[in-house]
Amino acid sequence: MSNGFILWRGASLLDGKPIMVVATGFDVASRNAKTGEMIQTWILREDIAPGDALRTGGDASICGDCRHRGRTCYVMVHWGVTQVWKAARRGKYPEIDRRQLGKVGRGQAVRLGTYGDPAAVPSWVWRRLIEHARHHTGYTHQWRTATHLGDICMASVDTPQEREEAKAQGWRTFRVRTSHELPLEREVVCPASAEAGRKTTCEECRACGGLSSKAKADIVIKVHGSPTRARAFENGDLFT
């Protein structure tokens, strides 16, 4: 089996620019210690290398108005993301049609949006992919407008106020907090996080599947990633 597939190509729902969705991890499993051996999905500008998209603001096509975009995102674009984009451009990954999406996801644990926001892509792509999946995780910063994803994605929020707003819209939330903040009522510290002692992996936890998950509490995690990202978040620079 190929290690990856191009699941979809088309116009971004965020700005109309050409994007593609690539799934990897079918032959060589992900080495991400937090997520475990999940199928990873990458939402990419088709026409611009990820580093160039980041530098020019072209990543708005896949990340929308996420405040971490180009500033404090924990994803290392110049490593794994770029390698996936290059492999797709070289024709390394077969392209599948919509009828095959369910077969590709069958029996798998799938991560929606390893890089990029699921809201950039028509929801039928994700729904077909996870139709027969073992389970999935998904997060969106576009929760104010992408309400149609509430059953399969968590609302990514960065403040207690955003959490309150998202909850009022009916979302389950995944909140990033500073080291000085405590979990709020009905929030549980991510059990796959370092702060929780990595009690499990996302592959086994299954809590972050939106309203379709059996879990009912919201999830919270301390800011993680690069020291620069953490400092910006802790100092409130992200919100200025």
Side-chain angles (χ1 to χ4, degrees):
M1 175 184 285
S2 172
N3 191 50
F5 299 93
I6 297 175
L7 305 183
W8 178 81
R9 300 176 192 261
S12 167
L13 298 187
L14 302 178
D15 68 358
K17 298 295 174 60
I19 64 173
M20 61 181 170
V21 179
V22 179
T24 62
F26 294 92
D27 188 38
V28 180
S30 168
R31 291 178 290 182
N32 187 314
K34 181 178 183 296
T35 64
E37 296 184 359
M38 299 185 75
I39 298 301
Q40 309 289 322
T41 61
W42 314 80
I43 306 161
L44 307 165
R45 275 290 294 260
E46 187 168 8
D47 57 336
I48 307 175
D52 293 336
L54 179 65
R55 187 179 66 256
T56 63
D59 59 344
S61 305
I62 56 152
C63 295
D65 61 2
C66 175
R67 59 165 54 95
H68 298 286
R69 179 173 64 85
R71 301 176 67 188
T72 55
C73 180
Y74 67 90
V75 179
M76 303 298 289
V77 171
H78 298 287
W79 294 93
V81 180
T82 296
Q83 296 308 309
V84 170
W85 182 83
K86 287 181 176 179
R89 295 277 290 187
R90 291 197 307 267
K92 182 176 180 180
Y93 303 135
E95 187 166 356
I96 65 174
D97 64 36
R98 63 188 299 166
R99 294 171 297 179
Q100 297 173 298
L101 281 171
K103 294 180 181 179
V104 168
R106 185 181 296 274
Q108 304 283 359
V110 182
R111 184 181 180 189
L112 307 183
T114 304
Y115 179 63
D117 194 301
V121 178
S123 65
W124 65 259
V125 175
W126 306 124
R127 295 181 189 283
R128 292 231 173 173
L129 178 64
I130 65 176
E131 183 178 10
H132 303 295
R134 181 155 45 93
H135 73 92
H136 74 280
T137 62
Y139 312 86
T140 178
H141 269 94
Q142 312 306 305
W143 49 268
R144 289 185 175 91
T145 55
T147 53
H148 60 289
L149 295 178
D151 61 324
I152 61 173
C153 289
M154 309 289 284
S156 290
V157 297
D158 297 302
T159 66
Q161 293 75 21
E162 285 187 350
R163 180 189 181 231
E164 184 176 347
E165 183 183 349
K167 294 297 289 180
Q169 291 187 14
W171 291 87
R172 289 183 62 232
T173 61
F174 185 96
R175 183 172 69 93
V176 177
R177 66 182 174 99
T178 69
S179 59
H180 305 294
E181 289 181 293
L182 295 175
L184 301 172
E185 184 179 358
R186 297 288 294 168
E187 280 188 334
V188 174
V189 173
C190 170
S193 66
E195 64 180 295
R198 300 209 185 281
K199 297 176 182 177
T200 186
T201 62
C202 300
E203 179 187 6
E204 297 300 328
C205 176
R206 307 187 179 200
C208 289
L211 296 172
S212 63
S213 173
K214 291 183 179 180
K216 301 306 176 186
D218 297 324
I219 309 300
V220 66
I221 192 171
K222 283 183 183 179
V223 61
H224 53 289
S226 72
T228 300
R229 177 180 190 261
R231 283 195 299 270
F233 194 91
E234 294 277 4
N235 295 336
D237 297 343
L238 195 63
F239 308 101
T240 58

